[in-house]
Amino acid sequence: MAWTAAQLDRIGSSEELEITSYYESGALRDWTTIWVVRVDNDLYIRSAYGQSGGWYRHAMHTRGARVRAHGVETDVTLHPVTESYINDRVRTAYESKYRDQPSALEPMLAPAAENTTLRMDPVG
Protein backbone atom coordinates (compact mmCIF):
# COMPACT_ATOMS: atom_id res chain seq x y z
CA MET A 1 0.00 0.00 0.00
CA ALA A 2 1.23 3.50 -0.74
CA TRP A 3 0.92 6.66 1.31
CA THR A 4 -1.80 9.07 0.29
CA ALA A 5 -0.73 12.60 -0.61
CA ALA A 6 -2.34 13.89 2.59
CA GLN A 7 -0.52 11.33 4.76
CA LEU A 8 2.81 12.15 3.11
CA ASP A 9 2.28 15.86 3.63
CA ARG A 10 1.11 15.57 7.22
CA ILE A 11 3.73 13.10 8.43
CA GLY A 12 6.55 14.40 6.25
CA SER A 13 6.09 17.97 7.42
CA SER A 14 5.80 17.10 11.10
CA GLU A 15 8.74 18.01 13.29
CA GLU A 16 8.42 14.73 15.17
CA LEU A 17 6.81 11.35 14.82
CA GLU A 18 5.76 8.99 17.59
CA ILE A 19 6.51 5.31 17.12
CA THR A 20 5.69 2.15 19.02
CA SER A 21 5.61 -1.57 18.41
CA TYR A 22 3.50 -4.44 19.62
CA TYR A 23 4.16 -6.91 22.40
CA GLU A 24 3.49 -10.52 21.47
CA SER A 25 0.20 -10.16 23.36
CA GLY A 26 -0.89 -7.49 20.88
CA ALA A 27 -0.62 -4.64 23.40
CA LEU A 28 1.32 -1.53 22.39
CA ARG A 29 4.64 -0.59 23.95
CA ASP A 30 5.22 2.98 25.16
CA TRP A 31 5.40 5.61 22.41
CA THR A 32 8.82 7.07 21.54
CA THR A 33 9.29 10.43 19.84
CA ILE A 34 11.67 10.43 16.87
CA TRP A 35 12.38 12.45 13.74
CA VAL A 36 11.02 11.66 10.31
CA VAL A 37 11.95 12.87 6.83
CA ARG A 38 10.31 12.67 3.46
CA VAL A 39 12.19 11.91 0.25
CA ASP A 40 9.96 12.02 -2.80
CA ASN A 41 6.97 9.81 -1.95
CA ASP A 42 8.63 7.87 0.85
CA LEU A 43 9.04 8.46 4.59
CA TYR A 44 12.22 7.54 6.45
CA ILE A 45 13.29 7.20 10.07
CA ARG A 46 16.56 6.45 11.86
CA SER A 47 17.59 5.49 15.36
CA ALA A 48 19.82 8.13 16.97
CA TYR A 49 21.21 5.35 19.18
CA GLY A 50 21.92 2.98 16.34
CA GLN A 51 20.84 -0.64 16.61
CA SER A 52 20.83 -0.46 20.42
CA GLY A 53 17.94 2.04 20.43
CA GLY A 54 14.95 0.52 22.22
CA TRP A 55 12.24 1.41 19.70
CA TYR A 56 14.48 0.19 16.87
CA ARG A 57 15.24 -3.20 18.47
CA HIS A 58 11.58 -3.86 19.25
CA ALA A 59 10.28 -2.75 15.87
CA MET A 60 12.89 -4.72 13.93
CA HIS A 61 11.85 -7.89 15.72
CA THR A 62 8.76 -7.97 13.48
CA ARG A 63 9.79 -5.32 10.92
CA GLY A 64 6.66 -3.42 11.86
CA ALA A 65 5.50 -0.57 14.04
CA ARG A 66 2.68 1.87 14.67
CA VAL A 67 3.29 5.56 14.03
CA ARG A 68 1.41 8.78 14.61
CA ALA A 69 1.94 12.40 13.61
CA HIS A 70 -0.34 15.35 12.81
CA GLY A 71 -3.53 13.35 13.20
CA VAL A 72 -2.37 10.35 11.16
CA GLU A 73 -2.00 7.06 13.03
CA THR A 74 -1.28 3.82 11.21
CA ASP A 75 0.63 0.57 11.27
CA VAL A 76 3.71 0.46 9.05
CA THR A 77 6.14 -2.07 7.70
CA LEU A 78 9.80 -1.17 8.03
CA HIS A 79 12.28 -1.72 5.24
CA PRO A 80 16.02 -1.34 5.94
CA VAL A 81 17.75 0.94 3.46
CA THR A 82 20.97 -0.50 2.10
CA GLU A 83 21.38 1.58 -1.05
CA SER A 84 23.97 4.30 -0.47
CA TYR A 85 22.31 6.73 -2.91
CA ILE A 86 19.06 6.56 -0.90
CA ASN A 87 20.92 6.96 2.38
CA ASP A 88 22.64 10.02 0.90
CA ARG A 89 19.26 11.54 0.03
CA VAL A 90 17.89 10.74 3.49
CA ARG A 91 20.96 12.35 5.06
CA THR A 92 20.41 15.48 2.98
CA ALA A 93 16.75 15.55 4.04
CA TYR A 94 17.74 15.33 7.73
CA GLU A 95 20.35 18.08 7.28
CA SER A 96 17.83 20.36 5.60
CA LYS A 97 14.87 19.72 7.89
CA TYR A 98 16.73 19.81 11.22
CA ARG A 99 19.57 22.24 10.45
CA ASP A 100 18.47 24.56 13.25
CA GLN A 101 19.13 21.79 15.83
CA PRO A 102 22.81 20.97 15.15
CA SER A 103 23.60 19.21 18.44
CA ALA A 104 20.60 16.90 18.08
CA LEU A 105 21.22 16.43 14.35
CA GLU A 106 24.80 15.24 14.75
CA PRO A 107 23.95 11.73 16.04
CA MET A 108 21.35 11.33 13.28
CA LEU A 109 24.09 11.74 10.68
CA ALA A 110 26.56 9.37 12.33
CA PRO A 111 27.28 5.96 10.76
CA ALA A 112 25.49 4.13 13.60
CA ALA A 113 22.25 5.98 12.81
CA GLU A 114 22.74 5.74 9.05
CA ASN A 115 22.94 1.96 9.41
CA THR A 116 19.42 2.00 10.90
CA THR A 117 17.72 3.97 8.12
CA LEU A 118 14.25 2.56 7.51
CA ARG A 119 11.65 3.29 4.88
CA MET A 120 8.13 3.14 6.31
CA ASP A 121 5.24 1.83 4.24
CA PRO A 122 1.64 1.94 5.49
CA VAL A 123 -0.13 -1.36 6.17
CA GLY A 124 -3.45 -2.11 4.54
Side-chain angles (χ1 to χ4, degrees), residues 23-89:
Y23 286 105
E24 289 182 21
S25 69
L28 288 173
R29 297 178 184 279
D30 290 335
W31 292 91
T32 301
T33 302
I34 62 172
W35 287 351
V36 60
V37 295
R38 178 179 175 176
V39 175
D40 298 328
N41 290 323
D42 292 311
L43 297 169
Y44 295 91
I45 55 176
R46 289 180 170 177
S47 171
Y49 300 103
Q51 294 180 359
S52 64
W55 74 262
Y56 180 85
R57 285 191 335 263
H58 295 302
M60 291 309 290
H61 181 71
T62 60
R63 298 272 171 109
R66 186 159 188 87
V67 297
R68 66 185 180 193
H70 281 251
V72 176
E73 185 171 332
T74 189
D75 288 324
V76 294
T77 54
L78 303 172
H79 305 277
V81 172
T82 57
E83 301 89 347
S84 60
Y85 75 95
I86 294 175
N87 247 323
D88 290 345
R89 294 192 68 204

Side-chain angles (χ1 to χ4, degrees), residues 80-100:
V81 172
T82 57
E83 301 89 347
S84 60
Y85 75 95
I86 294 175
N87 247 323
D88 290 345
R89 294 192 68 204
V90 171
R91 177 189 182 92
T92 300
Y94 271 101
E95 289 171 329
S96 176
K97 186 172 182 178
Y98 300 105
R99 67 183 166 271
D100 61 336

